[in-house]
PDB file of all heavy atoms in Angstrom:
ATOM      1  N   ASP A   3      -6.765 -34.947   3.382  1.00 72.00           N
ATOM      2  CA  ASP A   3      -6.945 -33.538   3.726  1.00 72.00           C
ATOM      3  C   ASP A   3      -5.639 -32.778   3.539  1.00 72.00           C
ATOM      4  O   ASP A   3      -4.561 -33.302   3.803  1.00 72.00           O
ATOM      5  CB  ASP A   3      -7.393 -33.379   5.183  1.00 72.00           C
ATOM      6  CG  ASP A   3      -8.769 -33.939   5.424  1.00 72.00           C
ATOM      7  OD1 ASP A   3      -9.631 -33.796   4.536  1.00 72.00           O
ATOM      8  OD2 ASP A   3      -8.968 -34.505   6.502  1.00 72.00           O
ATOM      9  N   LEU A   5      -3.813 -28.939   4.310  1.00 67.00           N
ATOM     10  CA  LEU A   5      -3.849 -27.691   5.042  1.00 67.00           C
ATOM     11  C   LEU A   5      -3.195 -26.623   4.178  1.00 67.00           C
ATOM     12  O   LEU A   5      -2.054 -26.781   3.750  1.00 67.00           O
ATOM     13  CB  LEU A   5      -3.104 -27.806   6.375  1.00 67.00           C
ATOM     14  CG  LEU A   5      -2.984 -26.540   7.199  1.00 67.00           C
ATOM     15  CD1 LEU A   5      -4.368 -26.082   7.654  1.00 67.00           C
ATOM     16  CD2 LEU A   5      -2.096 -26.776   8.399  1.00 67.00           C
ATOM     17  N   ARG A  10      -0.025 -13.437   5.635  1.00 80.00           N
ATOM     18  CA  ARG A  10      -0.287 -12.075   5.172  1.00 80.00           C
ATOM     19  C   ARG A  10       0.998 -11.462   4.642  1.00 80.00           C
ATOM     20  O   ARG A  10       2.098 -11.835   5.039  1.00 80.00           O
ATOM     21  CB  ARG A  10      -0.896 -11.230   6.276  1.00 80.00           C
ATOM     22  CG  ARG A  10       0.074 -10.795   7.344  1.00 80.00           C
ATOM     23  CD  ARG A  10      -0.570  -9.771   8.276  1.00 80.00           C
ATOM     24  NE  ARG A  10       0.437  -9.168   9.105  1.00 80.00           N
ATOM     25  CZ  ARG A  10       1.180  -8.134   8.761  1.00 80.00           C
ATOM     26  NH1 ARG A  10       1.035  -7.575   7.587  1.00 80.00           N
ATOM     27  NH2 ARG A  10       2.086  -7.630   9.576  1.00 80.00           N
ATOM     28  N   HIS A  13       4.315  -6.402   3.774  1.00 95.00           N
ATOM     29  CA  HIS A  13       4.514  -5.095   3.151  1.00 95.00           C
ATOM     30  C   HIS A  13       3.190  -4.412   2.818  1.00 95.00           C
ATOM     31  O   HIS A  13       3.167  -3.385   2.150  1.00 95.00           O
ATOM     32  CB  HIS A  13       5.348  -5.234   1.875  1.00 95.00           C
ATOM     33  CG  HIS A  13       6.643  -5.943   2.096  1.00 95.00           C
ATOM     34  ND1 HIS A  13       7.602  -5.484   2.975  1.00 95.00           N
ATOM     35  CD2 HIS A  13       7.130  -7.082   1.572  1.00 95.00           C
ATOM     36  CE1 HIS A  13       8.629  -6.317   2.965  1.00 95.00           C
ATOM     37  NE2 HIS A  13       8.363  -7.293   2.129  1.00 95.00           N
ATOM     38  N   ILE A  37       5.856   7.272  -3.935  1.00 98.00           N
ATOM     39  CA  ILE A  37       6.611   8.004  -4.954  1.00 98.00           C
ATOM     40  C   ILE A  37       8.040   8.267  -4.478  1.00 98.00           C
ATOM     41  O   ILE A  37       9.001   8.074  -5.235  1.00 98.00           O
ATOM     42  CB  ILE A  37       5.899   9.317  -5.328  1.00 98.00           C
ATOM     43  CG1 ILE A  37       4.614   9.007  -6.099  1.00 98.00           C
ATOM     44  CG2 ILE A  37       6.820  10.236  -6.139  1.00 98.00           C
ATOM     45  CD1 ILE A  37       3.733  10.212  -6.333  1.00 98.00           C
ATOM     46  N   THR A  42      13.766   7.078  -4.884  1.00 96.00           N
ATOM     47  CA  THR A  42      15.013   6.792  -4.170  1.00 96.00           C
ATOM     48  C   THR A  42      15.638   5.469  -4.593  1.00 96.00           C
ATOM     49  O   THR A  42      16.855   5.372  -4.742  1.00 96.00           O
ATOM     50  CB  THR A  42      14.764   6.769  -2.646  1.00 96.00           C
ATOM     51  OG1 THR A  42      14.228   8.016  -2.259  1.00 96.00           O
ATOM     52  CG2 THR A  42      16.033   6.509  -1.870  1.00 96.00           C
ATOM     53  N   GLY A  45      12.189   1.494  -7.231  1.00 96.00           N
ATOM     54  CA  GLY A  45      11.039   0.596  -7.098  1.00 96.00           C
ATOM     55  C   GLY A  45      11.429  -0.843  -7.328  1.00 96.00           C
ATOM     56  O   GLY A  45      12.582  -1.221  -7.171  1.00 96.00           O
ATOM     57  N   GLY A  46      10.459  -1.649  -7.704  1.00 97.00           N
ATOM     58  CA  GLY A  46      10.715  -3.068  -7.942  1.00 97.00           C
ATOM     59  C   GLY A  46      10.303  -3.926  -6.767  1.00 97.00           C
ATOM     60  O   GLY A  46       9.530  -3.503  -5.903  1.00 97.00           O
ATOM     61  N   PRO A  49      12.585  -5.824  -0.776  1.00 90.00           N
ATOM     62  CA  PRO A  49      13.503  -6.774  -0.138  1.00 90.00           C
ATOM     63  C   PRO A  49      12.842  -7.423   1.075  1.00 90.00           C
ATOM     64  O   PRO A  49      11.977  -6.832   1.723  1.00 90.00           O
ATOM     65  CB  PRO A  49      14.689  -5.908   0.275  1.00 90.00           C
ATOM     66  CG  PRO A  49      14.171  -4.509   0.325  1.00 90.00           C
ATOM     67  CD  PRO A  49      13.024  -4.443  -0.640  1.00 90.00           C
ATOM     68  N   SER A  54       8.178  -2.572   7.723  1.00 90.00           N
ATOM     69  CA  SER A  54       6.951  -1.798   7.525  1.00 90.00           C
ATOM     70  C   SER A  54       6.413  -1.350   8.870  1.00 90.00           C
ATOM     71  O   SER A  54       6.525  -2.078   9.836  1.00 90.00           O
ATOM     72  CB  SER A  54       5.907  -2.657   6.823  1.00 90.00           C
ATOM     73  OG  SER A  54       6.367  -3.034   5.544  1.00 90.00           O
ATOM     74  N   ASP A  61      -1.001  -3.216  -3.745  1.00 96.00           N
ATOM     75  CA  ASP A  61      -1.749  -4.224  -4.491  1.00 96.00           C
ATOM     76  C   ASP A  61      -1.349  -5.665  -4.155  1.00 96.00           C
ATOM     77  O   ASP A  61      -1.907  -6.617  -4.683  1.00 96.00           O
ATOM     78  CB  ASP A  61      -1.683  -3.978  -5.998  1.00 96.00           C
ATOM     79  CG  ASP A  61      -0.276  -4.076  -6.564  1.00 96.00           C
ATOM     80  OD1 ASP A  61       0.652  -4.481  -5.844  1.00 96.00           O
ATOM     81  OD2 ASP A  61      -0.122  -3.727  -7.746  1.00 96.00           O
ATOM     82  N   ASP A  63       1.451  -7.488  -4.634  1.00 94.00           N
ATOM     83  CA  ASP A  63       2.231  -8.311  -5.554  1.00 94.00           C
ATOM     84  C   ASP A  63       3.719  -8.374  -5.204  1.00 94.00           C
ATOM     85  O   ASP A  63       4.515  -8.895  -5.972  1.00 94.00           O
ATOM     86  CB  ASP A  63       2.041  -7.834  -6.994  1.00 94.00           C
ATOM     87  CG  ASP A  63       2.623  -6.449  -7.258  1.00 94.00           C
ATOM     88  OD1 ASP A  63       3.100  -5.791  -6.303  1.00 94.00           O
ATOM     89  OD2 ASP A  63       2.566  -6.003  -8.417  1.00 94.00           O
ATOM     90  N   SER A  64       4.095  -7.831  -4.054  1.00 93.00           N
ATOM     91  CA  SER A  64       5.484  -7.799  -3.559  1.00 93.00           C
ATOM     92  C   SER A  64       6.392  -6.849  -4.320  1.00 93.00           C
ATOM     93  O   SER A  64       7.598  -6.869  -4.149  1.00 93.00           O
ATOM     94  CB  SER A  64       6.114  -9.196  -3.539  1.00 93.00           C
ATOM     95  OG  SER A  64       5.394 -10.023  -2.656  1.00 93.00           O
ATOM     96  N   PHE A  65       5.811  -6.011  -5.177  1.00 96.00           N
ATOM     97  CA  PHE A  65       6.562  -5.000  -5.909  1.00 96.00           C
ATOM     98  C   PHE A  65       6.051  -3.614  -5.539  1.00 96.00           C
ATOM     99  O   PHE A  65       4.874  -3.447  -5.227  1.00 96.00           O
ATOM    100  CB  PHE A  65       6.399  -5.180  -7.428  1.00 96.00           C
ATOM    101  CG  PHE A  65       7.139  -6.361  -7.971  1.00 96.00           C
ATOM    102  CD1 PHE A  65       6.568  -7.620  -7.920  1.00 96.00           C
ATOM    103  CD2 PHE A  65       8.397  -6.213  -8.531  1.00 96.00           C
ATOM    104  CE1 PHE A  65       7.248  -8.728  -8.423  1.00 96.00           C
ATOM    105  CE2 PHE A  65       9.079  -7.309  -9.037  1.00 96.00           C
ATOM    106  CZ  PHE A  65       8.501  -8.565  -8.975  1.00 96.00           C
ATOM    107  N   ASP A  70       0.795   0.817  -7.566  1.00 98.00           N
ATOM    108  CA  ASP A  70       0.475   1.035  -6.152  1.00 98.00           C
ATOM    109  C   ASP A  70       0.026   2.478  -5.932  1.00 98.00           C
ATOM    110  O   ASP A  70      -0.929   2.740  -5.200  1.00 98.00           O
ATOM    111  CB  ASP A  70       1.680   0.700  -5.268  1.00 98.00           C
ATOM    112  CG  ASP A  70       2.056  -0.767  -5.350  1.00 98.00           C
ATOM    113  OD1 ASP A  70       1.229  -1.609  -4.986  1.00 98.00           O
ATOM    114  OD2 ASP A  70       3.183  -1.062  -5.791  1.00 98.00           O
ATOM    115  N   ILE A  78      -8.765   7.268  -3.233  1.00 97.00           N
ATOM    116  CA  ILE A  78      -9.059   8.609  -2.712  1.00 97.00           C
ATOM    117  C   ILE A  78     -10.132   9.277  -3.558  1.00 97.00           C
ATOM    118  O   ILE A  78     -11.106   9.819  -3.026  1.00 97.00           O
ATOM    119  CB  ILE A  78      -7.772   9.474  -2.667  1.00 97.00           C
ATOM    120  CG1 ILE A  78      -6.821   8.950  -1.595  1.00 97.00           C
ATOM    121  CG2 ILE A  78      -8.121  10.936  -2.408  1.00 97.00           C
ATOM    122  CD1 ILE A  78      -5.436   9.578  -1.637  1.00 97.00           C
ATOM    123  N   GLN A  82     -13.813  10.425  -2.233  1.00 80.00           N
ATOM    124  CA  GLN A  82     -14.087  11.855  -2.121  1.00 80.00           C
ATOM    125  C   GLN A  82     -15.350  12.242  -2.854  1.00 80.00           C
ATOM    126  O   GLN A  82     -16.077  13.099  -2.403  1.00 80.00           O
ATOM    127  CB  GLN A  82     -12.913  12.663  -2.653  1.00 80.00           C
ATOM    128  CG  GLN A  82     -11.762  12.625  -1.716  1.00 80.00           C
ATOM    129  CD  GLN A  82     -10.571  13.357  -2.257  1.00 80.00           C
ATOM    130  OE1 GLN A  82     -10.544  13.739  -3.410  1.00 80.00           O
ATOM    131  NE2 GLN A  82      -9.590  13.552  -1.422  1.00 80.00           N
ATOM    132  N   GLY A  86     -17.961  14.370  -0.951  1.00 50.00           N
ATOM    133  CA  GLY A  86     -17.988  15.782  -1.364  1.00 50.00           C
ATOM    134  C   GLY A  86     -16.690  16.506  -1.088  1.00 50.00           C
ATOM    135  O   GLY A  86     -16.594  17.709  -1.242  1.00 50.00           O
TER     136      GLY A  86
END
Side-chain angles (χ1 to χ4, degrees):
D3 294 322
L5 176 65
R10 75 171 192 85
H13 306 301
I37 290 171
T42 302
S54 298
D61 63 8
D63 67 355
S64 298
F65 287 84
D70 296 298
I78 291 170
Q82 287 177 350

